[in-house]
Amino acid sequence: MTRRSALIDTRVIYCGDCLDQLAGLPNHCVDLIYIDPPFNSNRNYEVFWGETKEKRSFEDRHASTQAYIEFMRPRCVQLARVLKETGSFYYHCDWHASHYVKVMLDQIFGENNFQNEIVWKRSTAHTDARQGSKHFGRIHDVLLFYTGGSQDYPWNQLYQPLGEEYIRSHYSQVDEEGRRFQWDNLSGPGAAAKGNPYYEVLGVKGYWRYSKERMDKLIAEGRVAIPSKGATPRYKRYLDESKGLALQSVWDDLPPVNSQARESQGYPTQKPIALLDRIIGASSNPGDIVLDAFCGCGTALISAQNLKRQWIGIDISPTSCRVVANRLRKECALRENEDLWRAGRGFIVRDLPRSEAELRKIPPFEFENWAVIALGGIPNKAQVGDKGIDGRIYPVSAIEHRRDAAQRREREAGARELGFMDQWYPIQVKQKDKTGRPDIDSFEAVMAREDRTKGFFVSFDYSSDALTEIDRYFRKSGNVIVPLTVKEILDEQIAQKLA
Ligand SMILES: C[S@@+](CC[C@H](N)C(=O)[O-])C[C@H]1O[C@@H](n2cnc3c(N)ncnc32)[C@H](O)[C@@H]1O
């Protein structure tokens, strides 16, 4: 069980602009911040779901870089305020703006608190580097690592396994027991000036890095010897005692999230858990508070939960917040429940849009996702070419049917049963005050094209013409269109209509 901070609530996902949400946190309360903001935030919906046709001119890009920095500056000021002096901060970005971000962060966190520019190689080859493109492939992201001012920040040294080539060239000696080792230098660096002791070791006088007592002990243990006639004494460093190579600032051993991977949520901006495990593992300890103020599908939160840290997530997108909640339930077996949360076990999501007025204000894309997810459906990811379908509902009866089928399949090995995938109802969403007859007409066309007998429509309200048409359509074809209002969804009065 993770403990709750006395100062702030953890295991909370806040839905909203992090500028507003961070204002509610006290000064210096967080141990580790990781952020991975979308490059061009005023179009975050496209970026979150993947920008397909990015082809902007230099002027466009430059203007948007400036806008991006202006957008990020006040948010980073807030982040610096909530970071503890002993805290660490990682900003994940790429070539689009990393150099501008570095200048901004130097101003906010202080140049002296800059620790590393980490290069994460996120792909092996890129279409950028195809024949004909006149630049090198852009295959890495940049992580800028700062600390909060104190030298006393957590640091858990991480190691990488030694490569075969390194082992061959550095651990070339083998002792009588077959253990690989290398001869290491024993002389005191800086000689007398650095206060190294001067004495005789195995007949050789010099400045040494260890005290005479320690050296005598190492000689007695057989760890110090003269490698060859006339050579100076050396230390035997064994391969099987090596932790590996201290991790450096180029990370080329963490592959991106593969679309087929179990952790994949289907979002192009999703970062791999292993990357966040590394950052959180190095820069925090169990019980510390980790904050991701642009949490996307929640990779940092999942990693923090797995590594027994406390966490806070913020994302402006209600869809994103729901994805994180689902992920926490599935991947961490954590329940979204206020009572459990108070008892220190579950998690909660705060500030999701809950009123009709709030839902009128969110962008159409978010509105569609909100409605589809509220109905228990699966949103259509492609926002273009969705052919009039915003989401699909797979009715429970179809899932039951699939279970039966799965059991039958086990019994009748070889029999194929894919019927479940074809049992779905389309959902059409309109963020309109009054859906009219033409909207219903075009949904009927979609139902006919897809050969569906039932479909769901979501809107704020319907004109009487629209409702008459739904009746006429049923009488003529036997097919059902269920008109749902936002109010019904908010009041959760939809259960019978969905049945
Ligand atoms: C690149 S994604 C983060 C992906 C994340 N690292 C992961 O692995 O899933 C950026 C996220 O920032 C969110 N976002 C954009 N503007 C925001 C703001 N002003 N406040 C909070 N979140 C914001 C977007 O909705 C998006 O989910």
Side-chain angles (χ1 to χ4, degrees):
M1 184 178 96
T2 43
R3 68 188 159 82
R4 268 175 78 189
S5 158
L7 276 178
I8 49 169
D9 290 334
T10 56
R11 281 171 291 104
V12 182
I13 306 161
Y14 292 94
C15 186
D17 186 337
C18 59
L19 185 63
D20 305 327
Q21 296 291 6
L22 289 167
L25 296 184
N27 293 348
H28 310 306
C29 60
V30 170
D31 296 285
L32 171 61
I33 298 174
Y34 165 85
I35 57 166
D36 170 25
F39 170 61
N40 192 351
S41 274
N42 35 18
R43 290 164 61 202
N44 67 74
Y45 306 101
E46 287 162 68
V47 177
F48 182 59
W49 293 88
E51 228 176 339
T52 44
K53 292 195 187 69
E54 191 194 16
K55 198 77 197 158
R56 279 175 276 155
S57 69
F58 175 76
E59 289 74 31
D60 278 357
R61 199 182 294 286
H62 188 70
S64 64
T65 306
Q66 255 182 340
Y68 173 70
I69 295 296
E70 277 161 30
F71 168 82
M72 285 308 298
R73 188 183 297 280
R75 287 161 180 83
C76 289
V77 168
Q78 280 291 330
L79 289 166
R81 180 185 66 74
V82 303
L83 186 68
K84 286 184 187 169
E85 272 189 42
T86 51
S88 304
F89 173 85
Y90 289 76
Y91 192 123
H92 192 140
C93 51
D94 66 13
W95 61 273
H96 286 94
S98 58
H99 38 307
Y100 295 95
V101 173
K102 168 81 169 59
V103 173
M104 172 184 75
L105 294 180
D106 279 350
Q107 291 161 353
I108 296 172
F109 287 87
E111 265 176 80
N112 291 340
N113 295 321
F114 172 69
Q115 305 298 344
N116 276 121
E117 175 184 73
I118 297 159
V119 166
W120 172 48
K121 184 178 166 213
R122 64 174 153 70
S123 83
T124 39
H126 203 274
T127 43
D128 272 346
R130 269 194 318 232
Q131 232 184 357
S133 72
K134 293 185 172 181
H135 58 76
F136 302 109
R138 295 159 181 157
I139 59 166
H140 74 271
D141 282 1
V142 172
L143 288 129
L144 300 168
F145 165 30
Y146 287 76
T147 46
S150 161
Q151 285 310 304
D152 199 18
Y153 55 88
W155 184 249
N156 302 311
Q157 182 64 58
L158 301 177
Y159 297 89
Q160 273 182 312
L162 302 175
E164 273 180 35
E165 185 48 44
Y166 186 95
I167 293 174
R168 249 198 310 278
S169 61
H170 287 72
Y171 288 88
S172 53
Q173 310 295 319
V174 179
D175 76 3
E176 39 308 327
E177 288 167 19
R179 291 173 74 196
R180 272 186 174 267
F181 71 96
Q182 60 170 299
W183 290 114
D184 208 355
N185 192 1
L186 273 174
S187 51
K194 290 271 162 118
N196 291 296
Y198 182 85
Y199 54 90
E200 187 176 313
V201 176
L202 302 172
V204 180
K205 287 188 176 159
Y207 290 97
W208 306 104
R209 63 180 57 195
Y210 301 134
S211 66
K212 172 117 179 49
E213 296 71 49
R214 177 143 185 229
M215 191 69 89
D216 287 344
K217 190 164 175 278
L218 291 172
I219 294 170
E221 288 167 0
R223 298 300 292 248
V224 169
I226 294 187
S228 58
K229 202 159 172 255
T232 50
R234 292 194 152 238
Y235 177 75
K236 277 184 177 175
R237 195 172 290 288
Y238 282 99
L239 174 63
D240 55 20
E241 291 171 358
S242 163
K243 291 180 180 164
L245 261 190
L247 192 62
Q248 308 292 304
S249 61
V250 176
W251 298 354
D252 61 358
D253 56 335
L254 303 174
V257 181
N258 177 314
S259 59
Q260 304 304 312
R262 266 189 27 184
E263 70 179 274
S264 171
Q265 304 296 307
Y267 304 127
T269 57
Q270 181 185 350
K271 302 301 177 290
I273 293 265
L275 177 71
L276 271 301
D277 284 352
R278 181 168 285 182
I279 293 168
I280 293 174
S283 284
S284 69
N285 291 312
D288 283 354
I289 299 177
V290 177
L291 164 69
D292 185 345
F294 294 81
C295 68
C297 43
T299 312
L301 314 186
I302 302 285
S303 165
Q305 175 67 28
N306 290 344
L307 296 175
K308 304 199 168 14
R309 272 62 166 174
Q310 305 184 76
W311 52 263
I312 301 167
I314 306 176
D315 203 288
I316 200 167
S317 149
T319 308
S320 208
C321 294
R322 292 311 328 161
V323 171
V324 181
N326 279 336
R327 235 183 137 184
L328 283 163
R329 278 197 295 270
K330 283 196 192 130
E331 293 180 33
C332 305
L334 213 57
R335 282 175 52 199
E336 183 181 348
N337 178 298
E338 181 96 24
D339 293 337
L340 277 180
W341 174 74
R342 286 192 187 289
R345 294 202 301 278
F347 71 96
I348 52 168
V349 186
R350 281 190 179 151
D351 305 332
L352 276 173
R354 296 213 186 271
S355 68
E356 280 193 70
E358 282 170 318
L359 287 162
R360 274 178 216 281
K361 279 191 259 160
I362 65 174
F365 167 80
E366 282 296 348
F367 181 76
E368 284 163 21
N369 276 306
W370 170 84
V372 171
I373 290 170
L375 296 188
I378 299 174
N380 198 349
K381 282 184 193 159
Q383 288 303 298
V384 264
D386 63 4
K387 295 188 190 149
I389 300 171
D390 296 316
R392 295 166 182 227
I393 288 187
Y394 291 88
V396 176
S397 56
I399 294 165
E400 288 306 324
H401 167 72
R402 195 199 75 89
R403 281 203 199 112
D404 295 348
Q407 283 160 5
R408 202 170 52 242
R409 193 167 49 228
E410 273 165 25
R411 286 197 300 272
E412 305 163 9
R416 297 196 61 180
E417 176 58 79
L418 295 173
F420 149 73
M421 288 312 290
D422 195 42
Q423 292 199 17
W424 57 272
Y425 302 140
I427 309 172
Q428 169 72 261
V429 183
K430 290 267 179 258
Q431 198 181 19
K432 270 185 162 183
D433 271 330
K434 269 221 181 337
T435 283
R437 171 155 181 186
D439 298 313
I440 301 299
D441 286 342
S442 47
F443 192 47
E444 284 169 14
V446 168
M447 298 214 354
R449 187 192 70 219
E450 301 290 336
D451 195 18
R452 299 294 105 182
T453 53
K454 188 170 182 176
F456 294 88
F457 210 105
V458 180
S459 164
F460 284 97
D461 206 353
Y462 298 85
S463 70
S464 52
D465 273 3
L467 294 175
T468 310
E469 172 55 26
I470 288 173
D471 260 6
R472 192 203 61 80
Y473 177 59
F474 174 67
R475 273 186 272 106
K476 189 180 134 217
S477 66
N479 294 340
V480 178
I481 293 179
V482 184
L484 296 166
T485 65
V486 171
K487 187 170 183 317
E488 283 171 315
I489 296 177
L490 284 173
D491 294 347
E492 297 189 358
Q493 292 167 359
I494 46 167
Q496 327 141 248
K497 287 199 172 187
L498 283 179

